[in-house]
């Protein structure tokens, strides 16, 4: 079925896969392929407004291009099927499809050419480079082909991480906040050691989910568990400097458990990055037993402060 | 600033003898791992590879192999614990992180 709509104004959330007209395309106009992910479509509309193009929307179940390509839903079979279902070959006279480069993990260009007769050209990674790409003979500069991980992209993901670990953090804060009072015979009261425990839990959470992502390029080490451990240790020392923990052993305990906590949380940020390999992350996971031991030992030392 | 991940871990393999020099791998790689020199692909920055699998998928003569997957600790931990779940959240995604339980 051919689905042609003039203008993008009627494209609503969760748009239906199919062939769309942007502006008033002719049989010579380029065909851009994308996913039926709301944000992607919005970005295309913003960057390419005023141009006459065909947009072929694949069914990725509202998942963005890169993730869908990794899962294979933005893939060869879906593209081949969609080209046939929309009758694209009758709509356009040329035989070229422009795909986002980040769709490449799911699509075998040569297989698409064999099965549909359409040649696949991979466009730039970022939609904002599409106008320049289209205006320069569909050529992407090396810069357009490289993915980065700038500050804004890292921070955009922080709320997701913060939400993900909110409940565990609250549980830890509750336990560390309440136990000192119970031990000191003031159950239900927030004694100062309890307040410090809550502050430390908060610092661990913010360190692993917000500070770590923000400071990523500057944290020493390459492994995320190393970067996180260093950041956590630094935060623990800051808490000690602020008078929140006293005594050598409790301070050491803080360095250990906050370091282990931030290390673990930040290791889980690898899934949000644009450059970590599966093999690398597998290697990192060998740090987990150490994180558990350091965390428990650290908490034991930290608790010495509760009896003061 | 180019972010660098661990050295000497990735599974990327290129069979230079099989390569026909089409240039696809260099076109699709988001980390400029390949360069085409003398009509042959070369790995010029192996440690930058994130094992996305785009090059292997698009090589017309299957000259490239890589154990493709998402470099995500949450997903791999879930798998190790016998729970289903993968993880994908990254730049072009805007603010999307999907963890399917
Ligand atoms: S797997 Fe991805 S990152 Fe690695 S070389 Fe191939 S295209 Fe580049
Ligand atoms: S995609 Fe395959 S054949 Fe083409 S240049 Fe790369 S390795 Fe060679």
């Amino acid at each position: 079925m051919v689905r042609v709509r003039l203008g993008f104004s009627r494209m609503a959330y969760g748009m239906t896969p199919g062939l769309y007209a942007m502006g008033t395309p002719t049989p010579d106009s380029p065909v851009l392929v994308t996913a039926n992910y709301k944000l992607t479509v919005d970005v295309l509309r913003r960057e390419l407004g005023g141009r006459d193009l065909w947009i072929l929307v694949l069914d990725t179940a509202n998942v963005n291009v890169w993730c869908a390509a990794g899962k294979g839903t933005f893939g060869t079979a879906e593209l081949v099927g969609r080209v046939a279902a929309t009758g694209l070959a009758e709509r356009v006279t040329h035989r070229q499809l422009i795909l986002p480069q980040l769709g490449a993990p799911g699509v075998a260009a040569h297989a698409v050419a064999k099965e549909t007769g359409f040649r696949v050209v991979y466009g730039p990674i970022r939609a904002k480079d599409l106008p320049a790409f289209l205006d320069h003979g569909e050529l992407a500069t090396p810069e357009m082909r490289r993915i980065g991980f700038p500050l804004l992209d890292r921070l955009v993901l922080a709320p997701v991480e913060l939400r993900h670990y909110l409940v565990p953090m609250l549980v830890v804060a509750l336990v560390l906040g309440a136990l000192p009072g119970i031990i000191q015979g003031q159950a239900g009261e927030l004694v100062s050691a309890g307040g410090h425990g809550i502050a430390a839990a908060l610092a661990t959470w913010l360190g692993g989910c917000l500070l770590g992502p923000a400071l990523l390029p500057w944290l020493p080490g390459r492994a995320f568990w190393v970067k996180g451990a260093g950041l956590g240790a630094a935060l623990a020392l800051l808490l000690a400097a602020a008078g929140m923990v006293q005594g050598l052993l409790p301070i050491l305990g803080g360095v250990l458990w906050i370091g282990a906590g931030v290390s673990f949380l930040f290791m889980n940020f690898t899934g949000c990055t644009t450059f970590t390999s599966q093999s690398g992350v597998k290697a990192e996971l060998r740090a987990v037993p150490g994180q558990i031991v350091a965390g428990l030992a650290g908490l034991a030392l930290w608790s010495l402060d509760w009896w003061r | 600033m180019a972010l660098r991940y661990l050295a000497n871990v990735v599974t990327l393999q290129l069979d230079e003898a099989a390569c026909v020099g089409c240039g696809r791998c260099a076109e699709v790689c988001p980390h400029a791992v390949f360069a085409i020199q003398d009509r042959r692909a070369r790995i010029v920055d192996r440690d930058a590879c994130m094992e996305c699998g785009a090059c292997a998928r698009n090589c017309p003569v299957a000259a490239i192999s890589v154990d493709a997957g998402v470099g995500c600790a949450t997903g791999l931990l879930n798998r190790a614990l016998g729970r289903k779940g993968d993880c994908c959240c990254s730049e072009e995604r805007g603010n999307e992180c999907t963890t399917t339980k």
Side-chain angles (χ1 to χ4, degrees), chain B residues 14-16 18-28 34-36 39-42 55-56 58-64:
Chain B
L14 167 65
D15 178 355
E16 289 190 20
C19 171
V20 295
C22 71
R24 260 312 173 184
C25 50
E27 179 187 358
V28 298
F34 297 96
I36 309 296
R39 283 192 233 110
R40 282 276 164 84
R42 293 259 141 74
C55 53
N58 281 276
C59 176
V61 294
I64 302 170

Side-chain angles (χ1 to χ4, degrees), chain A residues 101-282:
Chain A
Q101 185 185 333
L102 291 184
V107 178
H110 49 282
V112 173
K114 209 169 113 202
E115 295 190 40
T116 66
F118 279 87
R119 203 166 67 88
V120 169
V121 171
Y122 288 105
I125 286 180
R126 287 161 292 267
K128 73 168 175 56
D129 291 328
L130 268 171
F133 173 80
L134 292 170
D135 292 343
H136 293 93
E138 276 124 27
L139 270 179
T141 62
E143 178 50 34
M144 290 181 192
R145 296 231 170 275
R146 280 201 93 140
I147 194 154
F149 199 30
L151 180 66
L152 202 64
D153 291 344
R154 303 197 298 270
L155 289 184
V156 153
L157 298 158
V160 183
E161 293 292 292
L162 288 168
R163 209 176 321 128
H164 197 89
Y165 294 105
L166 177 64
V167 171
M169 184 278 290
L170 287 175
V171 170
V172 173
L174 194 73
V175 171
L176 295 186
L179 278 182
I182 295 169
I183 283 166
Q184 294 175 16
Q186 300 172 33
E189 303 271 317
L190 183 61
V191 298
S192 73
H196 299 159
I198 291 172
L202 271 173
T204 307
W205 179 61
L206 291 173
C209 302
L210 180 65
L211 272 180
L215 300 176
L216 170 66
W218 302 284
L219 293 173
R222 284 198 181 179
F224 279 58
W225 78 263
V226 174
K227 288 171 178 282
L231 175 63
L235 288 173
L237 291 176
L238 277 179
L239 289 177
M244 297 240 176
V245 230
Q246 275 144 36
L248 203 57
L249 289 179
I251 289 175
L252 177 65
V255 167
L256 281 175
W257 82 259
I258 297 170
V262 177
S263 175
F264 181 78
L265 292 181
F266 197 45
M267 211 176 65
N268 281 283
F269 187 65
T270 47
C272 294
T273 73
T274 56
F275 66 102
T276 53
S277 61
Q278 180 172 258
S279 299
V281 174
K282 275 183 187 158

